[in-house]
Amino acid sequence: MVLNFPHRHAGHCETGTLAALLRHRGVDLSEPMIFGIGSGLFFIHIPFVRVGGIPLTAYRGPPRQIINKVCKRLGIKLHEERYRSETQGMRALDRFLESGIPVGLQTSVYWLPYFPADLRFQFNAHNLVAFGKQGGDYWISDPVAEHVVSCPADDLQRARFAKGVFAPKGLAYYPARMPERLDLKAAALAGLRDTVRQMLDIPLPFMGVRGIASLAKRIERWPAKLGPEKARSYLSSVVRMQEEIGTGGAGFRFMYAAFLQEAAKLLGRGGLEVASERLSATGDRWREFAVLGARVCKGKETDPKAYAELANVLRDCSQREREVFGLIRASF
């Protein structure tokens, strides 16, 4: 019960999983194109919403938003199932595989044994593809892995039915019906407009470019307000969400820049090429923020002015992205 499923390493689990499932159905879209059509780029920092006692920071929309938006904009019918019973969920997976259907699964990273121990944490929104079963093990195409891997049934069951925030509840999904023709131009335009709206037009101080500037103000005040230890804890969460959870802030900027290059050719709009170059440069600034932030968190940077410097880098990122998405809007 092992299907012929070509594995390809990806930068991010959600876009990589959907790209793999679509390739199996004969539609070979790049990961950046999927990311762009799905309006994957975002920013949010909400100080009064806590995760593990630390304010929420995210560099993308909610889990599975990209998959749902891509399928809607391309006219793809996505079949999804969740299960109350773990046994029912595993039996359903076996039936899909017996029918020749590779299946996307939402899982918890913590229970996947092929992840190195130091990279396992309680994150319940990791996507992967199950494409076969041999004995008591499932064959997995995990987008963040170099090669296909096997996973014991008990571990995969735990990963699929982990509790907590974004609990998967055994979620299984696959493209059930493909349109006769994909209108990539319309889908790319819809993705561009939606992302511009997300980054520029939400009138709240916690989201988009306003959210980046708001975080800069807060970071500057953290040492005096929170004390050095708690300030480092808050900062480490911002950096970790940027560089370790999924592709993260800077990586998403580079991926979206690649989408803008593809969209420029697809739509014949040269302004998107300019926006792509500028967004790549902004990604470099985000990486500078992460490097300095990591030095502060590890105690290698003790200058009290470091938090002010971090805030200035974020203000620069906010202004740069305001200009980039203004360029994108002007190209419509």
Side-chain angles (χ1 to χ4, degrees):
M1 199 165 66
V2 181
L3 308 178
N4 182 19
F5 191 86
H7 173 76
R8 189 181 297 175
H9 179 71
H12 176 243
C13 72
E14 188 169 336
T15 49
T17 293
L18 182 58
L21 291 173
L22 293 181
R23 269 198 313 275
H24 183 75
R25 295 298 302 267
V27 176
D28 193 357
L29 296 180
S30 73
E31 191 180 1
M33 180 59 69
I34 287 175
F35 185 71
I37 290 174
S39 309
L41 194 71
F42 190 45
F43 182 85
I44 184 170
H45 175 80
I46 307 183
F48 50 83
V49 175
R50 305 296 176 97
V51 179
I54 296 176
L56 170 68
T57 305
Y59 296 81
R60 52 152 297 170
R64 295 190 42 72
Q65 175 182 280
I66 295 172
I67 289 175
N68 291 332
K69 285 187 175 182
V70 169
C71 289
K72 180 179 179 180
R73 289 168 182 166
L74 290 176
I76 297 168
K77 174 64 176 176
L78 191 71
H79 180 84
E80 299 178 289
E81 292 185 9
R82 296 182 189 266
Y83 310 92
R84 294 183 180 179
S85 160
E86 295 185 14
T87 301
Q88 180 190 25
M90 298 305 288
R91 287 176 178 169
L93 174 58
D94 289 347
R95 287 197 298 272
F96 289 137
L97 297 176
E98 287 169 356
S99 301
I101 302 172
V103 182
L105 303 176
Q106 183 177 326
T107 63
S108 168
V109 170
Y110 185 80
W111 295 108
L112 297 173
Y114 55 84
F115 269 78
D118 59 347
L119 292 181
R120 291 187 215 165
F121 58 99
Q122 298 288 357
F123 177 64
N124 289 336
H126 182 63
N127 290 268
L128 50 82
V129 178
F131 68 92
K133 186 178 182 182
Q134 199 165 21
D137 294 342
Y138 287 89
W139 284 104
I140 303 295
S141 173
D142 192 314
V144 302
E146 290 290 340
H147 309 285
V148 298
V149 295
S150 64
C151 183
D154 289 345
D155 291 314
L156 185 60
Q157 181 171 318
R158 291 190 190 99
R160 294 183 64 202
F161 290 91
K163 308 299 182 183
V165 179
F166 301 129
K169 299 179 182 178
L171 176 64
Y173 58 92
Y174 62 89
R177 188 174 68 246
M178 304 294 291
E180 292 184 4
R181 175 180 169 273
L182 296 178
D183 191 343
L184 277 182
K185 289 186 177 181
L189 274 172
L192 285 164
R193 291 191 176 104
D194 191 25
T195 305
V196 168
R197 180 194 61 81
Q198 290 180 163
M199 294 301 293
L200 297 183
D201 296 342
I202 298 177
L204 297 174
F206 314 118
M207 302 180 187
V209 297
R210 293 179 180 86
I212 300 170
S214 174
L215 176 59
K217 291 181 183 178
R218 294 180 181 279
I219 282 180
E220 207 164 24
R221 298 196 297 260
W222 279 350
K225 182 178 180 180
L226 306 173
E229 185 175 342
K230 198 168 185 179
R232 284 195 299 269
S233 177
Y234 278 28
L235 179 60
S236 68
S237 176
V238 173
V239 174
R240 184 168 181 250
M241 292 301 294
Q242 177 181 327
E243 298 298 330
E244 294 184 15
I245 308 299
T247 304
F252 281 153
R253 268 66 190 168
F254 297 131
M255 190 182 292
Y256 199 81
F259 161 68
L260 291 175
Q261 286 185 328
E262 287 193 53
K265 296 174 182 177
L266 177 68
L267 302 172
R269 306 192 183 194
L272 297 180
E273 286 275 8
V274 178
S276 173
E277 293 173 3
R278 293 192 182 181
L279 190 58
S280 290
T282 305
D284 291 335
R285 288 292 276 161
W286 277 104
R287 283 274 152 84
E288 291 173 23
F289 170 82
V291 170
L292 177 57
R295 288 182 58 82
V296 171
C297 294
K298 293 178 179 179
K300 295 180 179 180
E301 176 57 72
T302 57
D303 188 334
K305 296 180 180 178
Y307 282 87
E309 185 177 346
L310 286 165
N312 286 333
V313 175
L314 283 186
R315 290 189 184 97
D316 185 39
C317 289
S318 175
Q319 183 57 36
R320 285 170 180 249
E321 294 196 9
R322 185 180 295 277
E323 293 171 1
V324 164
F325 288 100
L327 274 174
I328 295 172
R329 171 167 279 163
S331 71
F332 293 162

